[in-house]
Amino acid sequence: MIRTERAALAADLAELTDERWATPSLCAGLTVREVLAHLTAGASLNTVRWFAGVIRCRFDFDKQVAVRLAEQLGADPAETLARFRRVVPSTTKPPLPVVAMLGETLVHGEDIRRPLGIRHDYPVGVVTRVAEYYRGSDLVVVAKKRIGGLRLAADDGPFTTGSGPDGVNASPVGWKLFWRPCAEPDW
């Protein structure tokens, strides 16, 4: 599934102009091009390289992310996209569960697509699997803490979690909005 979603993202970005690559993403302070380089880095790092980078950055994880992003950015948007295309089939990953990498692909795909006005539909089962992982983990996305005390229920799939006052809509679009604060697009 990760490969399918990476390939779909690469296809969605194939015709972007250089100006559109500079669009701010939903990741604070990063352009859509930089988020794509971050996804490339994640698909390029095995456990040994990841851990060596963490040590080199003195356990500053934000610095590690910035260093690895810079390694994959390339000279221009075409090179950034070419590097991403090369890792589409990759099974290489840092020491994270596969479902966490799938979540990174889905969420960062939306961090890129939404500001560009690109709509992408995801299989409900895939999004449900990622949402179920996120509800019990603060490992990659600080979701468990964020949703504590709220009840979330998908209106288009089987995902439900929590009790208490209703939180945001937990549909495949809604749950992604929950992880990244932004307004609902005008689709």
Side-chain angles (χ1 to χ4, degrees):
M1 193 76 239
I2 294 171
R3 284 172 268 196
T4 300
E5 291 304 327
R6 285 179 186 155
L9 181 58
D12 285 346
L13 303 176
E15 302 301 321
L16 284 188
T17 63
D18 285 354
E19 294 76 30
R20 302 241 1 231
W21 281 102
T23 301
S25 75
L26 296 184
C27 288
L30 298 179
T31 66
V32 297
R33 180 176 168 217
E34 290 166 329
V35 175
L36 191 69
H38 170 68
L39 284 173
T40 304
S44 305
L45 287 175
N46 62 27
T47 299
V48 172
R49 282 194 70 226
W50 178 85
F51 196 63
V54 168
I55 292 169
R56 190 170 39 255
C57 293
R58 300 177 190 261
F59 292 87
D60 181 336
F61 294 98
D62 291 334
K63 183 176 181 181
Q64 154 91 340
V65 167
V67 166
R68 297 305 188 185
L69 183 158
E71 288 175 358
Q72 298 299 332
L73 193 59
D76 57 34
E79 186 176 345
T80 305
L81 183 57
R83 288 173 183 219
F84 182 70
R85 283 183 173 138
R86 283 194 294 273
V87 301
V88 163
S90 175
T91 58
T92 301
K93 65 179 187 57
L96 294 171
V98 171
V99 69
M101 294 303 293
L102 177 59
E104 283 279 288
T105 304
L106 299 185
V107 172
H108 285 317
E110 287 298 292
D111 290 338
I112 292 168
R113 287 181 175 111
R114 285 184 175 276
L116 295 170
I118 299 170
R119 185 180 180 115
H120 180 72
D121 293 320
Y122 300 89
V124 171
V126 171
V127 175
T128 300
R129 182 173 164 216
V130 171
E132 287 171 348
Y133 170 74
Y134 280 163
R135 78 172 162 197
S137 175
D138 285 333
L139 183 61
V140 178
V141 174
V142 183
K144 182 178 176 182
K145 185 187 302 183
R146 193 178 292 163
I147 65 173
L150 293 177
R151 179 185 176 291
L152 303 178
D155 58 11
D156 55 1
F159 178 73
T160 61
T161 189
S163 60
D166 285 345
V168 298
N169 175 308
S171 70
V173 172
W175 79 264
K176 287 188 290 299
L177 290 175
F178 185 72
W179 312 127
R180 294 278 191 249
C182 66
E184 182 72 40
D186 297 329
W187 298 333

